[in-house]
């Protein structure tokens, strides 16, 4: 069983429930930890508003009091924004317990130059369902730069939205102590890719990416994936044990 679910959403971004409801579900199914990780501030549609951050802190404190046996972390699913690995969490890192980084379309660009160098090429590659070798290298370099610049605990749904060199990503993740997610909604790499990443020393983490309280802790898809792929449970950071996150070491 997973020790905790470290990728969940609430109404503060585009989830359907509150943190209190998510915590109740986590407690009911026997999880020992829960991270609430709504979307970063620079998405155009379902971002967390900076004005809501103090209320999210208060909600976390209230949920901790309501469920004292459940350890609850206030996290953020930040967006990678440009070639330099900039993420949309820089001004709130001090109050983030679990930092996730992933790519999502329709984020605000960090500059006009990055629109043409990063955002637009990725958008076009998505439309054509094809990425050039040069684009894959640039995408991967951005992720590696992000892990170097920030204490990123988890890479969300790797290879989803923009194609990556998974071997290089895994090598960097192993070096920095960042976990690669096996996502409860989508896994965008093959079983062979998974073994390649393990070969570089990376570790996986199973998360639900739940957008409603009833889905908290739901990791059936990644469990099936690791069983079919023959991935050892020792390589899963939150399988019946607490993962050691970068920001909490």
């Amino acid at each position: 069983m997973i020790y905790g679910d470290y990728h969940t959403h609430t109404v503060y971004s585009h989830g359907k429930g509150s943190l209190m409801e998510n915590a109740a579900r986590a407690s009911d199914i026997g999880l020992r930890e829960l991270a609430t990780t709504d979307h970063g501030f620079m998405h155009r549609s379902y971002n967390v508003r900076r004005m809501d951050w103090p209320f999210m802190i208060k909600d976390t404190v209230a949920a901790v009091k309501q469920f004292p046996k459940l350890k609850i972390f206030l996290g953020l699913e930040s967006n990678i924004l440009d070639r330099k690995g900039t993420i949309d969490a820089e001004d709130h890192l001090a109050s983030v317990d679990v930092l996730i980084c992933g790519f999502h379309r329709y984020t605000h660009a960090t500059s006009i130059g990055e629109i043409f160098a990063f955002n637009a090429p990725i958008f076009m590659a998505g439309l054509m369902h094809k990425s050039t070798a040069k684009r894959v290298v640039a995408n991967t370099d951005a992720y590696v730069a992000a892990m170097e610049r920030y204490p990123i605990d988890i890479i969300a749904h790797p290879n989803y939205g923009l194609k990556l060199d998974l071997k290089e990503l895994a090598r960097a993740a192993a070096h920095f102590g960042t976990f690669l997610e096996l996502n409860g909604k989508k896994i965008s790499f093959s079983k062979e890719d998974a073994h390649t990443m393990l070969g570089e020393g990376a570790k996986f983490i199973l998360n639900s990416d739940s957008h409603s309280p009833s889905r908290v802790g739901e990791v059936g898809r990644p469990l099936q994936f690791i069983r079919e792929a023959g991935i050892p449970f020792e390589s899963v950071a939150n399988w019946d044990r607490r993962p050691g996150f970068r920001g909490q070491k």
Side-chain angles (χ1 to χ4, degrees):
M1 178 177 179
I2 59 170
Y3 192 92
D5 189 351
Y6 305 97
H7 186 171
T8 65
H9 295 277
T10 74
V11 292
Y12 282 112
S13 56
H14 69 320
K16 297 179 180 178
S18 66
L19 171 55
M20 196 68 77
E21 291 172 312
N22 285 356
R25 171 65 177 172
S27 179
D28 287 345
I29 64 176
L31 295 183
R32 283 166 279 187
E33 294 188 340
L34 175 74
T36 180
T37 54
D38 281 302
H39 284 281
F41 304 102
M42 293 289 281
H43 197 277
R44 294 177 182 272
S45 299
Y46 41 81
N47 59 298
V48 168
R49 300 182 302 174
R50 283 183 170 81
M51 63 185 290
D52 285 334
W53 191 251
F55 298 104
M56 295 171 69
I57 294 175
K58 290 181 181 179
D59 286 358
T60 304
V61 172
V64 167
K65 290 181 180 179
Q66 184 70 26
F67 300 96
K69 294 183 179 180
L70 178 68
K71 190 170 183 63
I72 302 173
F73 301 106
L74 175 59
L76 194 70
E77 184 182 9
S78 63
N79 296 291
I80 192 161
L81 301 174
D82 59 26
R83 294 171 294 172
K84 297 179 290 184
T86 305
I87 64 173
D88 53 353
E90 286 188 327
D91 50 350
H92 288 76
L93 287 176
S95 54
V96 171
D97 299 316
V98 174
L99 181 61
I100 300 179
C101 177
F103 175 79
H104 300 86
R105 293 186 176 89
Y106 313 120
T107 56
H108 292 281
T110 55
S111 69
I112 294 176
E114 289 297 326
I115 293 176
F116 297 102
F118 188 76
N119 302 69
I122 291 171
F123 181 78
M124 292 305 298
L127 288 179
M128 296 184 293
H129 303 286
K130 184 178 180 180
S131 295
T132 65
K134 184 177 179 180
R135 182 75 261 156
V136 171
V137 170
N139 295 344
T140 307
D141 287 348
Y143 267 84
V144 173
M147 284 186 277
E148 185 173 12
R149 292 176 62 184
Y150 309 103
I152 294 169
D153 298 301
I154 300 169
I155 296 295
H157 39 70
N159 221 38
Y160 177 77
L162 79 171
K163 296 300 179 182
L164 301 167
D165 182 330
L166 293 170
K167 185 174 184 177
E168 290 299 321
L169 179 75
R171 184 177 298 150
H175 174 74
F176 291 111
T178 299
F179 301 123
L180 302 178
E181 184 180 64
L182 287 170
N183 186 281
K185 295 171 62 181
K186 47 188 173 281
I187 298 174
S188 301
F189 51 84
S190 69
K191 298 175 180 66
E192 292 75 18
D193 290 330
H195 281 284
T196 296
M197 290 186 274
L198 289 177
E200 294 301 318
K203 289 187 178 296
F204 293 116
I205 190 166
L206 308 187
N207 289 319
S208 68
D209 193 3
S210 65
H211 286 64
S212 63
S214 64
R215 299 297 301 274
V216 170
E218 177 52 60
V219 292
R221 183 189 299 271
L223 267 179
Q224 181 180 358
F225 181 89
I226 65 173
R227 285 169 175 153
E228 291 178 351
I231 296 171
F233 281 95
E234 291 79 7
S235 299
V236 180
N238 62 331
W239 188 255
D240 207 26
R241 67 184 187 275
R242 187 177 189 276
F245 290 120
R246 287 178 66 180
Q248 298 167 24
K249 292 179 179 178

